[in-house]
Amino acid sequence: MTEAPGFDEVVVGRRSIRGFLDKPVSKELIAEIIAVAMRAPSSFNNQCWNFSVVTGAPLDAIRRGNTEGVLAGKPDSREFRRFDKVPDAHRGRQIEIAKQLFGAMGIARDDKDARQDWVLRGFRQFDAPVSIVVTYDRVLLGSDIAPFDCGAVTNALVNAAWSRGLGCVINSQGIMQSPVVREHARIPDDQVIMICVAMGWPDADFPANAVVSNRKSIEEAVRFVGFDD
């Protein structure tokens, strides 16, 4: 029997997976993963999160409606606040990971068709067999704590999945056309769509799955106050 990976091994080893095997994920395994993830902390124990787990024909309909809407020029209808323009310091990290992914996939800078195909993969939730749409109670709309709590449970979810051999990518492109997601994932009106997680068994031969993003250093990110030098 293979020994389960330790906590540090899971957290440090996890990476975003964008290529999946054509292999189903059982309802029972997904329920187990979500049960673990829901041990994440939440403000005042609100546990404002909810999950719509979608596969099969409903997920295909979401993929189709999302990509068709984007190609038709329908405006972005995601339900969270966004920057009109990403600040330069953060934009640099976006460009860096894009270069890593395009390099791994052999997509040249001037290959517009290949770049467009890659973008559309994102709108299709990277053709993963499962999409988990994370929502929160609409009564909390306008509070920053609800998205914070959803972030905590989503992080726990992708790590719990990784520890069981499953790969995920947290993917806001997959909810670009929120009315389509609402319809086919049967999300009630009293819920706000926060994010979706594409999930499945990683395809070891998919080049982008080997990409590991760079992280800020401790020196860049951390300030120690009150410690002896």
Side-chain angles (χ1 to χ4, degrees), residues 76-80 82 172-173 175-178 193:
D76 179 351
S77 61
R78 287 175 291 184
E79 298 177 9
F80 56 82
R82 300 171 302 285
S172 73
Q173 291 172 298
I175 54 171
M176 186 74 79
Q177 302 295 323
S178 63
I193 299 173

Side-chain angles (χ1 to χ4, degrees), residues 27-96:
K27 180 179 176 180
E28 292 75 18
L29 180 55
I30 297 168
E32 176 184 310
I33 289 166
I34 293 176
V36 171
M38 288 197 298
R39 297 305 305 172
S42 68
S43 178
F44 293 100
N45 199 33
N46 280 332
Q47 301 181 56
C48 61
W49 48 62
N50 292 280
F51 310 87
S52 296
V53 184
V54 191
T55 193
L59 180 52
D60 289 339
I62 290 173
R63 288 193 238 273
R64 187 166 54 251
N66 201 31
T67 53
E68 288 176 355
V70 169
L71 290 171
K74 286 187 178 181
D76 179 351
S77 61
R78 287 175 291 184
E79 298 177 9
F80 56 82
R81 291 178 292 179
R82 300 171 302 285
F83 285 112
D84 291 331
K85 182 180 183 297
V86 178
D88 289 344
H90 300 274
R91 179 63 177 159
R93 285 191 282 273
Q94 286 186 330
I95 292 171
E96 181 183 23

Side-chain angles (χ1 to χ4, degrees), residues 18 62-70 75-78 80 82 94 101-102 115-127 131 169-178 180-181 193-198:
R18 298 175 174 85
I62 290 173
R63 288 193 238 273
R64 187 166 54 251
N66 201 31
T67 53
E68 288 176 355
V70 169
D76 179 351
S77 61
R78 287 175 291 184
F80 56 82
R82 300 171 302 285
Q94 286 186 330
L101 290 168
F102 287 157
R115 292 170 77 91
Q116 172 78 339
D117 179 68
W118 181 260
V119 170
L120 292 178
R121 286 180 61 86
F123 294 129
R124 298 197 311 266
Q125 301 190 32
F126 295 95
D127 300 321
S131 173
V169 61
I170 301 171
N171 171 236
S172 73
Q173 291 172 298
I175 54 171
M176 186 74 79
Q177 302 295 323
S178 63
V180 172
V181 180
I193 299 173
M194 184 71 238
I195 200 67
C196 75
V197 177

